[in-house]
Amino acid sequence: MKMWSGRFQQPLDPAFELWQRSFPFDHRLLPFELEASLAHARALEHAGVLSSEELAEIVRGLEQIGARAQSDPTFLNDDEAEDVHHFVEKELAALIGATGYKLHSGRSRNEQIATDLRLYVRSTIDQLQVLLADLVETIVGRAEKAGTVAMPAYTHAQRAEPVLVAHWLLAYVEMFLRDADRLADCRVRLNVCPLGSGAVSGATLAIDRGAMAADLGFDAPTANSIDATNDRDFVLEFVQALSVMSVHLSRWAEEMILFSTQEYGFVVLPEAYSTGSSAMPQKKNADLLELIRGKAGRVIGAATTLLMTVKGLPLAYNKDLQETQEPLFDVAQTILAILPLATGWMRAVEFHLAQMQAATESGFMNAWAAATYLVERGVASRQAHEAVGKAVRLCVERGCELQELRLNDLQGVHGAFDSGIFAALRLESVLAIHDVDGGTAPKRVKQAIQRAEQRIAHLRGEVHADA
Ligand code: ARG
């Protein structure tokens, strides 16, 4: 039985009928639809609309639908169901008869879909937080293992200053922890319950909205029925948070790809996550990284699709909103699949630590340290910069590094240089002077690792239990 045939005299055009259905994709909301329906049924009984026997029948029916969906994948091949709400109503009536049709008393699909989507996003956030914690924990583990080995840090893709490999890896930890933060923040705002909002004006039966909200683990009922039935901000926010995450993932992937080229030779691609070429026998390609980089386009595209879909919609529910589901599901599935693969890659990758460290020996990455040496001896920083710049010029002409100049060459560019400069130009000294919170001095990096570990433990502690 259709959910709305009474006022129609003519059947739907069959092509239109097929085309407007959302069940082919919204079937994935079934667990949430059942959960929300249970809460509604309990509220109906409380309001005296259902007897306790009817409630028991409905509960049994909903549970059976859930169990069958788990055990029988063909159960969802239904070419009659218009959407997940219709599917449940049909199946419930098939299982328990006419009482099944009482479940819809006092509610609208508009509040149901708004609720199901909130539950879906909430549960996906909880899963993503666990996967993010695994990823950052793995990166921190690799940082710890890299010890005090150094590598060049780049600005403008040019060698800039040496940093610890661990410090470089911890930069990604910061990005991914911010992503976790953004998701947590999105979760706080989405965690209110639209049930009881009806189609647009609020329920017509005396159902306890607070009880339904509490039943479903929401913090409170939504405040305005017009807003609640059409609000999809939480979908936009969630997908935007994942767009930022996909940008982080694409940057991570890009840098690993670059560093795996023969030109850098810092990263040895793990075979388990690479593929060969059908033509060139020598090739080992970074397919996992390239696909992750590529998926960012799809996620960002979905974020744009969602904004365009809701832009200019008048209040309240409009069927356009059904179009928000597929981009949402696609992005969620995309990122849920990427994170464990990225973690697996991070676990398996081999860093060529010797080559990374060797790369710090050229490119004048101790030039700022040389200028600092002068500043510490009272030279104004602009003059120090100029003097060291001249020393670099001399090196470029002679094809050598700063530490290979003679003391009198250095004194030729500035009289404040003395024999202590050669110790100051050594890699360990250069690293050690970056001795500020958040800097690359080895003891600071050690602290940063400890702090990251605490933040991961905190993140795991915050993750909601059913994830
Ligand atoms: N399938 C619909 C959607 O996803 C459910 C809500 C339908 N509401 C309605 N008034 N037709 O938006």
Side-chain angles (χ1 to χ4, degrees), residues 22 26 83 85 109-110 113 232 317 319 321-322 325:
S22 54
D26 71 14
D83 55 23
H85 322 292
R109 283 184 292 165
N110 299 352
I113 189 62
R232 296 294 183 272
Y317 178 82
K319 192 75 174 242
L321 291 175
Q322 186 169 287
Q325 292 186 32

Side-chain angles (χ1 to χ4, degrees), residues 40-276:
H40 178 71
R42 286 192 276 263
L44 284 179
E45 189 235 13
H46 204 73
V49 179
L50 292 178
S51 68
S52 57
E53 293 74 32
E54 287 171 327
L55 173 64
E57 269 183 86
I58 288 175
V59 170
R60 182 174 56 81
L62 292 173
E63 282 170 359
Q64 273 180 27
I65 294 171
R68 173 121 189 250
Q70 293 249 320
S71 64
D72 173 7
T74 65
F75 183 44
L76 299 178
N77 301 341
D78 183 317
D79 26 88
E80 211 193 311
E82 183 175 321
D83 55 23
V84 67
H85 322 292
H86 185 209
F87 176 78
V88 170
E89 179 167 292
K90 252 168 30 82
E91 292 302 325
L92 193 61
L95 281 169
I96 67 170
T99 308
Y101 291 121
K102 288 198 167 181
L103 173 62
H104 205 57
S105 314
R107 74 173 181 177
S108 154
R109 283 184 292 165
N110 299 352
E111 61 180 298
Q112 284 174 263
I113 189 62
T115 305
D116 294 358
L117 286 173
R118 279 176 196 267
L119 291 171
Y120 170 84
V121 173
R122 191 176 76 181
S123 136
T124 308
I125 287 176
D126 293 346
Q127 291 171 57
L128 287 170
Q129 298 289 42
V130 175
L131 298 175
L132 270 175
D134 294 344
L135 176 60
V136 284
E137 192 167 81
T138 305
I139 303 177
V140 171
R142 298 307 306 251
E144 225 166 347
K145 254 180 84 184
T148 54
V149 175
M151 66 183 287
Y154 300 82
T155 63
H156 312 270
Q158 306 288 330
R159 285 187 185 174
E161 290 188 279
V163 290
L164 291 195
V165 170
H167 195 55
W168 164 64
L169 289 170
L170 288 176
Y172 287 107
V173 168
E174 290 304 314
M175 293 189 198
F176 294 128
L177 284 176
R178 277 199 299 278
D179 292 328
D181 246 27
R182 255 183 289 274
L183 288 176
D185 185 47
C186 173
R187 193 188 195 284
V188 170
R189 235 183 328 278
L190 74 74
N191 205 30
V192 283
C193 185
L195 288 189
S197 297
V200 62
S201 321
T204 50
L205 299 173
I207 41 189
D208 183 344
R209 296 197 64 211
M212 290 191 290
D215 227 4
L216 294 169
F218 286 113
D219 295 327
T222 49
N224 178 291
S225 62
I226 306 174
D227 178 56
T229 45
N230 90 109
D231 172 31
R232 296 294 183 272
D233 287 4
F234 61 98
V235 174
L236 303 186
E237 281 185 37
F238 173 66
V239 172
Q240 278 164 16
L242 294 188
S243 306
V244 178
M245 193 195 295
S246 77
V247 165
H248 291 160
L249 285 161
S250 78
R251 296 183 62 185
W252 165 82
E254 167 66 5
E255 192 155 64
M256 294 302 170
I257 291 168
L258 268 183
F259 285 176
S260 75
T261 59
Q262 227 163 324
E263 283 65 19
Y264 283 87
F266 294 171
V267 161
V268 186
L269 293 175
E271 290 196 5
Y273 297 99
S274 308
T275 62

Side-chain angles (χ1 to χ4, degrees), residues 341-417:
L341 288 168
T343 302
W345 191 96
M346 259 333 278
R347 254 184 223 130
V349 66
E350 223 184 285
F351 293 116
H352 254 185
L353 294 176
Q355 199 135 334
M356 294 169 109
Q357 173 110 353
T360 63
E361 280 155 23
S362 56
F364 316 111
M365 286 192 294
N366 46 11
W368 196 347
T372 303
Y373 190 80
L374 291 179
V375 167
E376 276 167 352
R377 275 149 194 80
V379 180
S381 76
R382 187 52 55 224
Q383 268 72 52
H385 186 286
E386 197 61 21
V388 176
K390 284 196 176 121
V392 169
R393 181 76 248 154
L394 207 59
C395 291
V396 172
E397 280 156 17
R398 294 188 190 168
C400 69
E401 290 290 321
L402 286 171
Q403 64 274 23
E404 289 161 354
L405 291 174
R406 287 182 313 244
L407 181 57
N408 65 346
D409 293 326
L410 287 165
Q411 284 173 335
V413 298
H414 205 290
F417 275 123

